[in-house]
Amino acid sequence: MGQELRPQEKSISTNQVAVVQYNTGQRSEAVRMWQTHAEKGDAEAQFTLGVLYNRGDGGLAKDMIEAVHWYRKSAEQGHVIAQYNMGILCATGTGLARDLNAAIDWWRMAALQGHAEAQFNLGLYYAEGTGVNPDPSEAVKWWGLAAKQGLAAAQFNLGLMYMKGEGIAENQEEAVKLWRLSANQGFTQAITVLKVLQLDH
């Protein structure tokens, strides 16, 4: 059921001028503009700086302490991808002390805003009892939300829960339906399970 935890790096800037500058090679000018906006409290600019420090891009050296600083400022203002990334950094102990409770809190904030990967990760933690007491019905709840958004890994895991009757009433038909949805997106584990069960996807 595991999935690699990794930050998302969709850099969506407040300021189109900065994006144009960045994309046309005027990176230092763009970064200066984002820094100015970030220091004034702009959540998108703060997120963008977090991404740049995370990657070591735009003429900025890779600096996870700075990345965490800017992601946190953006996340505290409700930026959904910054919240998700803070969860990843807390879960992996990258740029700050590892803190599973904080990871769960950040992911919950992002998940409640509809972030599918955050929903998936919450499901994983509840299923495996990582940082929380194991709670199969909570895992089903979060995977169900992510599966509805088309996340293949969530569809697969939710199918497992239906097959085992764990956290939800057993329903093999629903399990196979979910695995087919997952397999149709190329999710290897779903394809394998359907082959083993001798079912087409």
Side-chain angles (χ1 to χ4, degrees):
M1 282 193 254
Q3 189 188 40
E4 183 193 343
L5 301 177
R6 59 182 183 274
Q8 291 190 316
E9 298 188 343
K10 293 176 192 152
S11 181
I12 314 156
S13 177
T14 312
N15 197 311
Q16 287 310 111
V17 174
V19 172
V20 169
Q21 286 179 324
Y22 188 84
N23 290 337
T24 57
Q26 299 172 299
R27 293 191 167 183
S28 56
E29 293 88 338
V31 169
R32 266 198 303 279
M33 192 174 283
W34 281 318
Q35 283 170 326
T36 302
H37 285 287
E39 281 156 18
K40 289 179 182 168
D42 184 292
E44 287 290 353
Q46 291 166 343
F47 172 73
T48 301
L49 279 183
V51 170
L52 294 175
Y53 278 113
N54 193 355
R55 289 196 305 222
D57 200 353
L60 299 174
K62 185 175 173 89
D63 183 337
M64 290 314 296
I65 306 290
E66 278 295 306
V68 167
H69 169 78
W70 291 112
Y71 280 147
R72 184 185 306 276
K73 283 193 167 298
S74 181
E76 285 169 350
Q77 293 190 68
H79 191 289
V80 68
I81 303 174
Q83 290 170 341
Y84 170 77
N85 285 359
M86 281 302 299
I88 296 291
L89 300 178
C90 289
T92 57
T94 306
L96 72 174
R98 189 165 188 243
D99 184 342
L100 298 180
N101 291 328
I104 289 164
D105 290 343
W106 286 117
W107 285 334
R108 187 178 308 281
M109 286 181 224
L112 291 170
Q113 290 194 68
H115 192 282
E117 285 86 356
Q119 293 166 343
F120 177 85
N121 289 349
L122 279 177
L124 203 56
Y125 273 35
Y126 277 108
E128 295 175 351
T130 306
V132 289
N133 291 324
D135 187 339
S137 61
E138 273 294 294
V140 164
K141 173 181 123 181
W142 292 112
W143 283 338
L145 291 168
K148 277 184 188 145
Q149 293 193 65
L151 192 67
Q155 292 166 338
F156 176 75
N157 286 4
L158 187 59
L160 289 176
M161 301 303 264
Y162 271 111
M163 189 57 82
K164 296 186 285 188
E166 199 176 317
I168 198 161
E170 186 181 324
N171 185 334
Q172 294 184 359
E173 203 174 290
E174 189 62 24
V176 170
K177 190 173 106 182
L178 284 159
W179 289 338
R180 283 188 172 130
L181 289 171
S182 181
N184 288 338
Q185 294 187 65
F187 195 72
T188 312
Q189 290 165 286
I191 294 166
T192 303
V193 165
L194 291 172
K195 276 184 188 159
V196 167
L197 296 174
Q198 298 182 328
L199 295 165
D200 298 327
H201 71 90

